[in-house]
Amino acid sequence: MDLDMNGGNTRVFQRLGGSSQKVCFHWRAGRCNRYPCPFLHRDSPPPAPFPGSSSSTNNKRIADDDSGFAGSSHRRGPGSGNNTWGRFGGNRTVTKTEKLCKFWADGNCPYGDKCKYLHCWSQGDSFSLLTQLDGHQKVVTGIALPSGSDKLYTASKDETLRIWDCASGQCTGVLNPGGEVGCMISEGPWLLVGMPNLVKAWNIQTNVDLSLTGPVGQVYSLVVGTDLLFAGTQDGSILVWRYNTATNCFDPAASLTGHTLAVVSLYVGANRLYSGSMDNSIKVWSLDNLQCVQTLTEHTSVVMSLICWDQFLLSCSLDNTVKIWAATQGGNLEVTYTHKEEYGVLALCGVHDAEAKPVLLCSCNDNSLHLYDLPSFTERGKILAKQEIRSIQIGPGGIFFTGDGTGQVKVWKWSTQPTAIQP
């Protein structure tokens, strides 16, 4: 119940659009029955622009090039000189934040069209659900599309990899790697799988099967930079292998230490490796000498995911924030904007839309995934799931994939075809 703590004048002031701009919680849930209601029945006004943003002339780039998301070969997104982080714009904002009907999701809602909760898997008109891939019994921990393959690969904590035909959507094979899969990525023809105490490497073209030993505990994150493979492990170290083109093998190269708890996120951009950990920190490593050049400690919980866009590093955490980092003239990263969510943030993924504008996919632990225009963080839509969405993968032709805690993989398509961004 919302209580009037300051008398009737406050209620009148709020109805007339005074400075108290609280949005009605019951309206957001779709069930406000008060008239008149002392709180807003619309989204609150945009926040003031964040203070202290550096101009583009004072920022060093942390992405690979002028393209936007690191590793992209497409048009650059808006630069920092526009000072537009967090400003709302356009007319595509999704204004309602209703919850998914759990009974409908299970196929037995008794209220039908009269139900006050959502009977759909998404909000927003710029994308739609194509199909659902069922088979995994536990959370999906990786989705990969190896180069040159017409197959989709998914991995799960149910100790299986599933192979899906991209044309028919049918499962054509199930692999049992011999343990719980913590993560999976693809690089060229290689499928790289993080498991307890090792990384498995499968070449889908030659059927070469390698086991890379050295990790202690579960491997939670994998990333490739130049000819190096990095694995974030449960004991807080980052194992490094160098790909040997002569032998088609991965040779041990280094072990990076410094984190005190498990390394759960890795990203490579602009000759740097970024690592996020359960110790709440981000470490920045030089790819030239594999030395740590900076430790970032502004997050207050686990750093779940990292990506680069334009000259910015984006990080998300279970502390309910997405932080935007920019390099100063001295080269160190500093927080230039913090986007706040109601729930912990699990995963980030970047893509360009049909107009070459950047869109951030942001998964939260309330079983939702938000789509935000950058740099404004205007909400473009939302995807809902039965359980947390832990895996996001961009595909060709305007396709993207999500994998959730129930083991379901969903295939989505943009209404207007975007350009995929590969890290």
Side-chain angles (χ1 to χ4, degrees):
M1 178 181 295
D2 292 303
L3 300 177
D4 180 7
M5 302 299 292
N6 299 304
N9 288 337
T10 300
R11 289 182 178 271
V12 174
F13 180 65
Q14 289 171 334
R15 289 202 300 272
L16 294 178
S19 62
S20 179
Q21 297 292 320
K22 183 178 179 181
V23 178
C24 175
F25 171 81
H26 303 289
W27 172 81
R28 281 192 175 277
R31 58 175 183 267
C32 181
N33 57 10
R34 295 174 297 185
Y35 183 80
C37 179
F39 301 100
L40 293 177
H41 278 207
R42 58 182 172 82
D43 275 353
S44 58
F50 61 91
S53 173
S54 302
S55 68
S56 58
T57 57
N58 292 329
N59 285 334
K60 289 192 175 183
R61 297 191 57 76
I62 60 174
D64 289 337
D65 50 33
D66 288 341
S67 57
F69 293 108
S72 150
S73 58
H74 308 286
R75 192 190 311 172
R76 166 181 178 166
S80 62
N82 293 331
N83 195 23
T84 53
W85 280 108
R87 289 186 181 177
F88 287 72
N91 56 6
R92 292 176 294 184
T93 303
V94 176
T95 57
K96 297 195 75 174
T97 56
E98 297 166 317
K99 294 182 179 180
L100 177 71
C101 174
K102 294 181 179 179
F103 298 102
W104 174 82
D106 292 333
N108 57 4
C109 179
Y111 298 101
D113 294 339
K114 296 182 180 179
C115 181
K116 64 178 104 175
Y117 299 104
L118 284 175
H119 282 199
C120 60
W121 293 112
S122 64
Q123 293 177 285
D125 57 5
S126 60
F127 58 94
S128 59
L129 177 64
L130 282 186
T131 190
Q132 179 176 302
L133 308 179
D134 293 315
H136 286 300
Q137 302 302 309
K138 292 184 180 180
V139 60
V140 177
T141 53
I143 303 172
L145 287 160
S147 176
S149 173
D150 61 351
K151 299 294 190 294
L152 174 74
Y153 293 78
T154 59
S156 169
K157 284 190 175 181
D158 64 8
E159 301 188 11
T160 67
L161 303 181
R162 286 184 172 265
I163 307 171
W164 309 85
D165 183 82
C166 291
S168 66
Q170 298 300 308
C171 181
T172 61
V174 179
L175 302 176
N176 296 284
E180 188 176 281
V181 178
C183 59
M184 179 180 67
I185 64 171
S186 63
E187 179 67 20
W190 290 96
L191 197 65
L192 303 164
V193 181
M195 298 177 58
N197 305 313
L198 66 98
V199 174
K200 280 189 173 291
W202 282 300
N203 189 311
I204 64 169
Q205 294 178 355
T206 64
N207 291 323
V208 170
D209 180 355
L210 304 175
S211 292
L212 312 182
T213 58
V216 176
Q218 180 63 270
V219 175
Y220 289 114
S221 51
L222 292 166
V223 73
V224 172
T226 59
D227 60 345
L228 298 175
L229 169 64
F230 300 91
T233 66
Q234 188 173 348
D235 72 346
S237 61
I238 303 170
L239 275 291
V240 188
W241 293 267
R242 189 179 302 276
Y243 183 65
N244 189 322
T245 55
T247 62
N248 289 323
C249 291
F250 295 84
D251 298 329
S255 176
L256 312 183
T257 58
H259 286 295
T260 58
L261 293 173
V263 176
V264 296
S265 53
L266 294 170
Y267 200 89
V268 168
N271 206 37
R272 292 285 189 269
L273 168 71
Y274 304 94
S275 59
S277 170
M278 292 182 69
D279 65 12
N280 307 345
S281 74
I282 301 168
K283 287 187 178 292
V284 184
W285 310 81
S286 169
L287 292 186
D288 291 330
N289 56 21
L290 299 181
Q291 296 298 306
C292 181
V293 296
Q294 190 180 3
T295 300
L296 312 175
T297 58
E298 279 75 358
H299 280 296
T300 59
S301 190
V302 182
V303 180
M304 296 294 293
S305 185
L306 301 159
I307 65 171
C308 292
W309 172 66
D310 202 19
Q311 66 263 39
F312 302 99
L313 173 71
L314 282 66
S315 63
C316 73
S317 169
L318 295 183
D319 64 9
N320 302 7
T321 68
V322 177
K323 291 188 181 292
I324 316 300
W325 307 79
T328 63
Q329 272 192 322
N332 285 334
L333 294 176
E334 293 182 350
V335 174
T336 190
Y337 178 73
T338 297
H339 168 78
K340 295 182 180 179
E341 291 283 351
E342 293 184 32
Y343 299 89
V345 189
L346 302 173
L348 301 176
C349 186
V351 65
H352 284 127
D353 69 9
E355 299 176 347
K357 295 178 180 178
V359 177
L360 179 69
L361 309 184
C362 178
S363 170
C364 296
N365 64 6
D366 65 338
N367 307 341
S368 70
L369 183 149
H370 300 265
L371 293 86
Y372 293 114
D373 284 329
L374 291 181
S376 66
F377 272 95
T378 301
E379 187 169 3
R380 189 166 181 164
K382 183 165 68 171
I383 290 171
L384 305 170
K386 289 184 178 181
Q387 293 185 23
E388 298 170 347
I389 294 173
R390 291 298 188 114
S391 298
I392 313 168
Q393 176 63 44
I394 305 302
I399 302 291
F400 64 98
F401 306 88
T402 58
D404 68 23
T406 68
Q408 289 182 344
V409 176
K410 287 189 171 69
V411 186
W412 306 85
K413 185 175 178 63
W414 293 81
S415 300
T416 54
Q417 182 174 316
T419 302
I421 306 303
Q422 297 296 334

